[in-house]
Amino acid sequence: MAVLGLLGVWLGFLWLTSQYVRAAMFYGPLDTQHVPMQPFAAAQGIGLLLAAGLLAQRLPAWSGDAELARRAQALTQRVSRLTQTRSDATEVAVAELRRIERDLHDGAQARLVAVGMSLRAAEELMRSSPEAALALVTEARKTSSRALDDLRDLVRGIYPPVLADRGLAEAVRALALDTPLTVDTDISLPGEPPMPVAAAVYFAVAEALTNAVRHSGACTVEISLEHSGETLRAMVTDDGDGGADPSAGTGLAGVERRLATFDGILAVSSPPGGPTIVAMEVPCSLTETNLPDAGRDGSGPAGIVTGEDGQPAGSPT
Amino acid sequence: MRVVIGEDLFLLRDGLVRLLEAHGFEVIAAVASAPELLRALTELEPDVGIVDVRLPPSFTDDGLRVAIEARRARPGLPLLVLSQYVEQLYARELLADQAGGIGYLLKDRVFSDDAFADAVRAVASGGTVLDPEVVSRLLAKRTRSGPLATLTPREREVLSLMAEGRSNAAIAARLFVTEKAVSKHAAGIFTKLGLSPSEDDNRRVLAVLAYLGA
């Protein structure tokens, strides 16, 4: 093989030299018709190909061993990280399903059983004791109302309706409004992240807000949300006492695992005395058409004109 | 009183029609999609519209958007918006034009609360009726500064009941105090929120708005 390759290179060299000499002699364009160059060219082509093949085989041994090893190591690390995050994602999904099953079982399902029992008892008492029957029917109605409350809470925990309606930016604003603290938002998202990312970031922000309300003693929280360089960044900062230990509770650890599925990361800074900063980054691109209603900026018959801050025009501040 | 209903689920639409007719309302249209609803609200001149937030075609917040669009076309058109869940964000959008005549209630109130017909009438006459769930979440807000922080606990209680659309008489009955005492609290609230003495109904709306803006 090596001999053939060298032969090809030598023939090619000969041919090139002859062309060069001819060109130099006549100062004119190369006259290919007077030279039987096809056999030379073919031989040269084959030779070069073989030589290149040999070179490619030999190259790592000469200079690229370190580079290849580095790439192999990076790939191994990537595979092991993907294996880890995939198994985490599966576990998170199963845990989530079990929580939903438990909530349904202990909540709405149990209440509906109670409603049925009350109504059955009311049937029995209808004639003999209408007063008691009426009281049972009223109780059944109240229990059905509580079953609806349970279902509503459950739905919010699965995929919040406002997130489905309006997308991440508005859903985070709604979250800020529902938090019993003063929450300032600084949100600039020119589009919508993919739905799974939007949900993960929404619940991450919600978890950080819940922690701020429950543990930090904070009065004011700032949420910022922005997208640049193919990365979605969210930050929740509170003016509380600090000293939060992200490894102590399961909440932020779960958030971290959920974000890791999208190669996202979570960082918590909470020195004693505060402030507590929860920051997260998820690589993703934004699209304009993720939401069911693409033309939402006042173009449709039922669009809402929004001001610069994303609030409806003329909304109270 | 002429009512337009926008609700896509047949059972609920039918139930609403029967419930309202039983209370003496005249249902002039009961439609099942956002475009039909917008047309009915702007062309049939109802006294009040009852609007489900989630409607076709997109099954997100189409109904809410119709409500806002219809009120832009007919300022102050009384609308009672119903939903399976309530959002303060949506309450703010509905109240943003400060014209009153807005209700925003959970759907289950319709069939489990005797006050539903009262709520429809209150909205039709320009009042503001917010679901207790919206109001209770507002009440949970820890306010440190601003005029709302200066309200006494009792005044906050009165304000939250006002936001639910209750009259002074109803608030008095709920808090076991005299109507006169409620009027005094209301006057205190209006003064602290800097609402000039004017027509009472509008001041109530503005007080609720100040509350929502907190």
Side-chain angles (χ1 to χ4, degrees):
Chain A
M1 294 288 269
V3 176
L4 271 174
L6 285 174
L7 185 69
V9 172
W10 179 68
L11 283 170
F13 177 70
L14 267 185
W15 176 73
L16 272 176
T17 314
S18 72
Q19 293 298 317
Y20 179 74
V21 171
R22 280 169 60 94
M25 282 171 69
F26 297 107
Y27 273 104
L30 297 180
D31 189 1
T32 51
Q33 279 181 354
H34 290 93
V35 185
M37 64 178 289
Q38 284 89 346
F40 280 112
Q44 179 203 26
I46 291 165
L48 280 175
L49 271 176
L50 289 169
L54 282 170
L55 275 173
Q57 269 185 346
R58 288 285 173 185
L59 199 59
W62 295 339
S63 62
D65 261 355
E67 168 67 9
L68 199 72
R70 195 192 60 75
R71 287 177 57 188
Q73 196 190 0
L75 267 177
T76 312
Q77 277 172 359
R78 180 76 184 142
V79 167
S80 109
R81 179 161 167 77
L82 284 177
T83 310
Q84 181 62 44
T85 53
R86 188 178 68 167
S87 124
D88 282 353
T90 319
E91 269 176 41
V92 167
V94 170
E96 195 62 5
L97 286 175
R98 287 196 58 186
R99 184 187 64 81
I100 291 167
E101 188 274 334
R102 214 170 34 240
D103 283 1
L104 277 173
H105 180 271
D106 300 347
Q109 225 170 344
R111 293 196 198 283
L112 286 176
V113 170
V115 167
M117 276 161 56
S118 296
L119 289 176
R120 179 76 196 94
E123 265 177 357
E124 293 282 328
L125 290 169
M126 197 76 84
R127 284 204 181 82
S128 61
S129 174
E131 288 288 311
L134 185 65
L136 282 170
V137 171
T138 308
E139 193 185 300
R141 179 166 59 75
K142 284 182 179 159
T143 310
S144 81
S145 176
R146 279 196 292 273
L148 281 172
D149 287 343
D150 287 346
L151 286 173
R152 233 185 324 269
D153 287 347
L154 194 64
V155 167
R156 273 184 203 279
I158 298 170
Y159 202 87
V162 68
L163 184 57
D165 287 356
R166 297 286 180 89
L168 183 61
E170 290 285 86
V172 168
R173 282 194 187 99
L175 207 52
L177 284 175
D178 273 346
T179 303
L181 299 173
T182 304
V183 184
D184 298 322
T185 54
D186 177 12
I187 298 176
S188 104
L189 286 185
E192 188 62 15
M195 263 163 78
V197 174
V201 171
Y202 174 90
F203 283 113
V205 171
E207 180 65 30
L209 278 175
T210 307
N211 287 343
V213 172
R214 282 196 194 146
H215 310 301
S216 76
C219 290
T220 312
V221 182
E222 273 178 44
I223 305 175
S224 71
L225 191 59
E226 55 117 17
H227 183 271
S228 61
E230 293 298 289
T231 303
L232 182 66
R233 290 180 189 82
M235 198 149 85
V236 181
T237 310
D238 71 53
D239 65 351
D241 308 328
D245 181 7
S247 57
T250 52
L252 281 177
V255 163
E256 193 172 15
R257 290 205 299 175
R258 190 163 176 181
L259 291 176
T261 317
F262 309 100
D263 286 329
I265 48 169
L266 176 92
V268 180
S269 155
S270 185
T276 298
I277 303 173
V278 178
M280 58 204 94
E281 283 192 2
V282 186
C284 71
S285 22
L286 303 184
T287 51
E288 292 292 338
T289 53
N290 209 339
L291 293 170
D293 176 11
R296 36 188 56 226
D297 285 327
S299 58
I304 292 175
V305 176
T306 51
E308 276 182 351
D309 56 355
Q311 296 290 322
S315 103
T317 49
Chain B
M1 202 174 279
R2 291 151 45 85
V3 186
V4 161
I5 296 171
E7 162 66 63
D8 60 319
L9 296 174
F10 171 75
L11 275 178
L12 287 181
R13 187 169 66 243
D14 197 47
L16 274 172
V17 171
R18 277 188 285 148
L19 188 70
L20 288 168
E21 284 179 348
H23 279 96
F25 293 95
E26 182 195 349
V27 178
I28 52 173
V31 299
S33 76
E36 290 174 290
L37 179 61
L38 185 61
R39 221 168 18 247
L41 287 176
T42 49
E43 289 171 12
L44 301 180
E45 303 196 346
D47 296 311
V48 59
I50 295 180
V51 178
D52 178 18
V53 166
R54 183 166 293 190
L55 284 179
S58 83
F59 291 100
T60 59
D61 57 349
D62 304 46
L64 184 80
R65 288 161 188 281
V66 163
I68 289 162
E69 180 74 13
R71 271 167 73 92
R72 204 177 295 142
R74 283 189 57 199
L77 170 70
L79 293 178
L80 177 55
V81 176
L82 301 176
S83 179
Q84 293 283 17
Y85 60 96
V86 283
E87 287 290 343
Q88 288 190 53
L89 186 76
Y90 295 175
R92 285 161 68 116
E93 290 177 6
L94 284 167
L95 294 167
D97 62 14
Q98 310 201 356
I102 278 291
Y104 183 38
L105 290 177
L106 276 176
K107 263 187 191 173
D108 22 323
R109 312 279 178 222
V110 176
F111 298 104
S112 66
D113 196 340
D114 303 331
F116 178 63
D118 293 343
V120 178
R121 287 197 190 92
V123 168
S125 58
T128 303
V129 178
L130 292 180
D131 195 273
E133 199 179 308
V134 176
V135 176
S136 69
R137 270 189 257 161
L138 284 170
L139 207 63
K141 203 108 179 162
R142 295 176 213 162
T143 38
R144 252 201 326 189
S145 55
L148 282 174
T150 66
L151 297 183
T152 64
R154 193 55 145 184
E155 283 168 344
R156 282 171 76 90
E157 219 170 350
V158 170
L159 181 53
S160 68
L161 288 167
M162 257 186 216
E164 288 175 22
R166 294 175 199 272
S167 65
N168 282 2
I171 295 171
R174 171 68 83 90
L175 298 180
F176 303 107
V177 296
T178 62
E179 212 177 315
K180 207 173 155 194
V182 175
S183 303
K184 215 180 109 216
H185 288 309
I189 294 166
F190 297 148
T191 310
K192 283 181 181 172
L193 298 184
L195 302 170
S196 58
S198 65
E199 201 224 328
D200 194 49
D201 269 357
N202 196 40
R203 276 198 300 174
R204 291 175 95 86
V205 172
L206 293 175
V208 171
L209 280 171
Y211 201 2
L212 270 173

